[in-house]
Amino acid sequence: MSVKVPAFHPGEILKDLYLEPLGISPIGLSKLLGVNRQRIERLVKGTNGMSPDTANRLAKAFSTTPQYWMNLQLAWDLQELDQDAEMQKALEEIEPIALEEAA
Protein backbone atom coordinates (compact mmCIF):
# COMPACT_ATOMS: atom_id res chain seq x y z
CA MET A 1 0.00 0.00 0.00
CA SER A 2 1.44 3.34 -0.98
CA VAL A 3 0.73 6.53 0.92
CA LYS A 4 0.41 9.69 -1.13
CA VAL A 5 1.79 12.77 0.55
CA PRO A 6 0.32 15.96 -0.87
CA ALA A 7 2.70 18.13 -2.84
CA PHE A 8 2.82 21.88 -2.45
CA HIS A 9 3.54 24.38 -5.18
CA PRO A 10 7.15 25.60 -4.88
CA GLY A 11 5.87 29.17 -4.69
CA GLU A 12 3.87 28.29 -1.59
CA ILE A 13 6.97 26.78 0.01
CA LEU A 14 8.99 29.84 -0.95
CA LYS A 15 6.39 32.17 0.57
CA ASP A 16 5.60 30.20 3.73
CA LEU A 17 9.04 28.88 4.67
CA TYR A 18 11.34 31.60 3.39
CA LEU A 19 9.80 34.95 2.51
CA GLU A 20 7.31 35.43 5.35
CA PRO A 21 9.61 34.24 8.18
CA LEU A 22 12.44 36.43 6.87
CA GLY A 23 10.20 39.44 6.19
CA ILE A 24 11.16 39.56 2.52
CA SER A 25 8.63 40.60 -0.11
CA PRO A 26 8.52 39.01 -3.57
CA ILE A 27 9.69 42.33 -5.00
CA GLY A 28 12.57 42.46 -2.53
CA LEU A 29 13.57 38.91 -3.40
CA SER A 30 13.43 39.66 -7.11
CA LYS A 31 15.87 42.53 -6.57
CA LEU A 32 18.20 40.28 -4.55
CA LEU A 33 18.07 37.61 -7.28
CA GLY A 34 18.40 40.06 -10.15
CA VAL A 35 15.20 38.95 -11.88
CA ASN A 36 12.00 40.59 -13.05
CA ARG A 37 9.57 41.08 -10.16
CA GLN A 38 6.76 39.31 -12.05
CA ARG A 39 8.78 36.08 -12.05
CA ILE A 40 8.77 35.87 -8.25
CA GLU A 41 5.27 37.32 -7.82
CA ARG A 42 3.80 34.75 -10.23
CA LEU A 43 5.77 31.93 -8.64
CA VAL A 44 4.49 32.87 -5.18
CA LYS A 45 0.91 33.12 -6.50
CA GLY A 46 1.25 29.69 -8.09
CA THR A 47 0.53 30.90 -11.60
CA ASN A 48 4.04 30.09 -12.85
CA GLY A 49 6.26 27.15 -12.09
CA MET A 50 9.86 26.90 -10.99
CA SER A 51 12.43 27.25 -13.75
CA PRO A 52 15.98 25.88 -13.51
CA ASP A 53 17.28 29.45 -13.60
CA THR A 54 15.10 30.49 -10.67
CA ALA A 55 15.98 27.29 -8.81
CA ASN A 56 19.69 28.10 -9.13
CA ARG A 57 19.18 31.66 -7.91
CA LEU A 58 17.03 30.57 -4.95
CA ALA A 59 19.54 27.86 -4.06
CA LYS A 60 22.30 30.43 -3.89
CA ALA A 61 20.21 32.94 -1.93
CA PHE A 62 18.88 30.46 0.64
CA SER A 63 21.84 28.04 0.82
CA THR A 64 19.82 25.15 -0.57
CA THR A 65 20.27 23.26 -3.83
CA PRO A 66 18.67 23.74 -7.23
CA GLN A 67 17.49 20.13 -6.94
CA TYR A 68 15.49 21.02 -3.83
CA TRP A 69 13.49 23.61 -5.74
CA MET A 70 13.16 21.54 -8.90
CA ASN A 71 12.01 18.49 -6.88
CA LEU A 72 9.25 20.62 -5.37
CA GLN A 73 8.17 21.55 -8.89
CA LEU A 74 8.35 17.96 -10.11
CA ALA A 75 6.26 16.68 -7.19
CA TRP A 76 3.68 19.40 -7.87
CA ASP A 77 3.55 18.65 -11.60
CA LEU A 78 3.12 14.92 -11.03
CA GLN A 79 0.35 15.53 -8.51
CA GLU A 80 -1.43 17.77 -11.00
CA LEU A 81 -1.19 15.06 -13.68
CA ASP A 82 -2.41 12.45 -11.21
CA GLN A 83 -5.56 14.53 -10.72
CA ASP A 84 -6.10 15.08 -14.46
CA ALA A 85 -8.95 12.84 -15.65
CA GLU A 86 -7.84 13.04 -19.30
CA MET A 87 -4.33 11.89 -18.36
CA GLN A 88 -5.70 9.03 -16.27
CA LYS A 89 -7.86 7.89 -19.19
CA ALA A 90 -4.85 7.97 -21.51
CA LEU A 91 -2.76 5.99 -19.02
CA GLU A 92 -5.45 3.33 -18.70
CA GLU A 93 -5.16 2.67 -22.44
CA ILE A 94 -1.41 1.91 -22.24
CA GLU A 95 -0.56 -1.77 -22.05
CA PRO A 96 2.49 -2.53 -19.88
CA ILE A 97 5.46 -4.05 -21.71
CA ALA A 98 6.81 -7.24 -20.20
CA LEU A 99 10.57 -6.98 -19.75
CA GLU A 100 11.08 -10.51 -21.08
CA GLU A 101 9.43 -9.50 -24.37
CA ALA A 102 11.63 -6.46 -24.80
CA ALA A 103 14.88 -8.47 -24.71
Side-chain angles (χ1 to χ4, degrees):
M1 175 169 142
S2 65
V3 176
K4 290 193 178 189
V5 177
F8 296 92
H9 190 277
E12 186 176 358
I13 300 296
L14 175 62
K15 182 181 108 187
D16 293 347
L17 299 184
Y18 295 89
L19 297 183
E20 287 180 352
L22 295 170
I24 302 172
S25 70
I27 294 172
L29 180 62
S30 68
K31 288 178 183 176
L32 290 170
L33 299 180
V35 299
N36 184 301
R37 71 175 175 82
Q38 285 95 353
R39 183 192 300 197
I40 303 302
E41 289 173 335
R42 290 175 182 159
L43 179 63
V44 168
K45 287 180 185 174
T47 56
N48 281 8
M50 179 68 61
S51 70
D53 180 79
T54 302
N56 273 295
R57 292 170 188 266
L58 290 173
K60 178 68 174 176
F62 295 117
S63 299
T64 61
T65 65
Q67 291 82 0
Y68 168 74
W69 296 102
M70 293 308 297
N71 285 339
L72 290 171
Q73 184 65 52
L74 178 60
W76 176 258
D77 290 343
L78 290 173
Q79 177 177 275
E80 290 293 296
L81 279 175
D82 193 42
Q83 296 173 358
D84 183 311
E86 191 173 309
M87 173 57 79
Q88 294 309 310
K89 185 176 182 333
L91 290 175
E92 287 173 9
E93 296 175 7
I94 297 173
E95 289 293 326
I97 300 170
L99 292 178
E100 307 82 54
E101 293 176 20

